[in-house]
Amino acid sequence: MAVWDDVVGQERVQEQLSAAARDADAHVTAQAAREPVPAASKMTHAWLFTGPPGSGRSTAARAFAAALQCTGPDRALGGAPGCGFCDGCHTTLVGTHADVEVIRTDLLSIGVGQTRELVRRAQLSPAGGRWQVIILEDADRLTEGAGNVLLKAVEEPAPRTVWLLCAPSLEDVLPTIRSRCRHLTLRTPSVAAVADVLIRRDGIEPDVAAAVARATQGHIGRARRLATDERARARRTAVLRLPLRVEDIGGCLRAAQELIDAAAEDAKQVAEEVDVKETEDFKAALGAQAGGRMPRGTAGAMKELEDRQKRRKTRTQRDSLDLALTDLTGFYRDVLALQMGSRVALANDDVRDSLDRVAQSSTPERTLRRIEAVVACREALERNVAPLLAVEAMAVALRAG
């Protein structure tokens, strides 16, 4: 299986990355043989992957990193790097390659301290691989100070270091950084392409794969979670019932509270899965005794861990709310399609009765205003408006139409 197999619906991007990997391989091979390095090359030291959520930005970056580290014997016979079977490809894809650093954050931002550590690593030569590759999955979450720290490393890169930055759009990255990167734009994969990869790679039943791919409108990660997580399906069903529950103010307030409670439950679930083990491992690393007593001088470190876990919980709750609002937007998009007589495929055909009921009881103008209310709620949450207030205001606006 080639490393590109998981890059779904991105043929043009795949071609560009494959060509760059071939040139990168020729560059390293020529250096090792002390031969002249080819002058013309499609390879560069910094790349920026942008695209809507679910388009596979980080998947494409990881596949490219694997191709850069490929040591498969077929290369010597004219084969393209990225075989997927050699040690370089395999360890990169599973996350254990010594020269591939993947940075993702479950917090609200990436700070200066973490970025400085990345820049320090970027100056090192590869320990055993062909390139030193740093994948920054959440480049849009760099603080302004962290972005300025990163800029210096991108401007003056080490000879065998490659930066792979991922962000939703060009505007989410500092202009000074994006101007020094080669830009690749990924698109939302087709529903058929997402269903195919769920069937082929995850063993999902064809009917289920088609349904979740359609429901998530080509978002690969969400489709996989919806197909495999019963709780995710239950939460989506609850969200899609909300438009029928805002017939009076009391219903609006109850629906808003339930949406917030569901997001809080998501955050609690993550905490139960991650925080407990993280805390126990951290205490053991600090030398905690079996009875639970901590050594002197460790209170500050424990407080820092608690603060980080609290920020992660906030981020998880916000992400869960945003996902619910995305599903709600899709519901009203389907309502609008029905009202306008469009033949576009419905994302939420499994709740067709609810769609028909809302479509028949309102007008396209009211549906557009409701979509605007959902968008306004998402924007309010990004500005750190209290979640309950933002969702209550949205629910009331949905009732008014």
Side-chain angles (χ1 to χ4, degrees), residues 114-166:
Q114 186 176 5
T115 307
R116 282 179 177 158
E117 179 60 27
L118 282 181
V119 171
R120 184 199 64 78
R121 169 163 182 158
Q123 301 305 313
L124 302 177
S125 298
R130 301 169 71 79
W131 296 87
Q132 178 82 249
V133 184
I134 299 177
I135 303 174
L136 189 56
E137 291 190 355
D138 301 296
D140 54 308
R141 290 196 168 93
L142 288 166
T143 64
E144 184 175 355
N148 291 330
V149 170
L150 179 62
L151 175 61
K152 186 69 174 177
V154 175
E155 281 182 325
E156 301 174 4
R160 297 262 294 276
T161 294
V162 181
W163 289 89
L164 306 180
L165 312 181
C166 305

Side-chain angles (χ1 to χ4, degrees), residues 111-248:
V112 171
Q114 186 176 5
T115 307
R116 282 179 177 158
E117 179 60 27
L118 282 181
V119 171
R120 184 199 64 78
R121 169 163 182 158
Q123 301 305 313
L124 302 177
S125 298
R130 301 169 71 79
W131 296 87
Q132 178 82 249
V133 184
I134 299 177
I135 303 174
L136 189 56
E137 291 190 355
D138 301 296
D140 54 308
R141 290 196 168 93
L142 288 166
T143 64
E144 184 175 355
N148 291 330
V149 170
L150 179 62
L151 175 61
K152 186 69 174 177
V154 175
E155 281 182 325
E156 301 174 4
R160 297 262 294 276
T161 294
V162 181
W163 289 89
L164 306 180
L165 312 181
C166 305
S169 69
L170 283 174
E171 289 70 26
D172 291 313
V173 181
L174 287 176
T176 47
I177 293 179
R178 67 182 186 234
S179 66
R180 290 162 175 80
C181 298
R182 183 167 298 171
H183 180 215
L184 293 176
T185 302
L186 282 73
R187 61 183 182 179
T188 300
S190 68
V191 170
V194 173
D196 176 69
V197 78
L198 291 177
I199 296 168
R200 172 172 48 83
R201 185 178 60 188
D202 300 303
I204 306 298
E205 290 295 325
D207 292 346
V208 175
V212 297
R214 184 173 60 251
T216 57
Q217 290 295 283
H219 192 301
I220 303 170
R222 287 180 55 205
R224 182 179 297 111
R225 184 181 181 190
L226 205 58
T228 58
D229 187 345
E230 185 176 346
R231 286 174 296 189
R233 292 193 293 272
R235 283 192 291 270
R236 173 177 174 270
T237 300
V239 169
L240 297 184
R241 285 201 300 263
L242 187 146
L244 301 178
R245 302 181 57 203
V246 293
E247 297 179 350
D248 55 53

Side-chain angles (χ1 to χ4, degrees), residues 297-308:
T298 59
M302 288 301 301
K303 180 64 166 60
E304 184 179 345
L305 175 64
E306 290 170 2
D307 290 343
R308 186 165 68 247

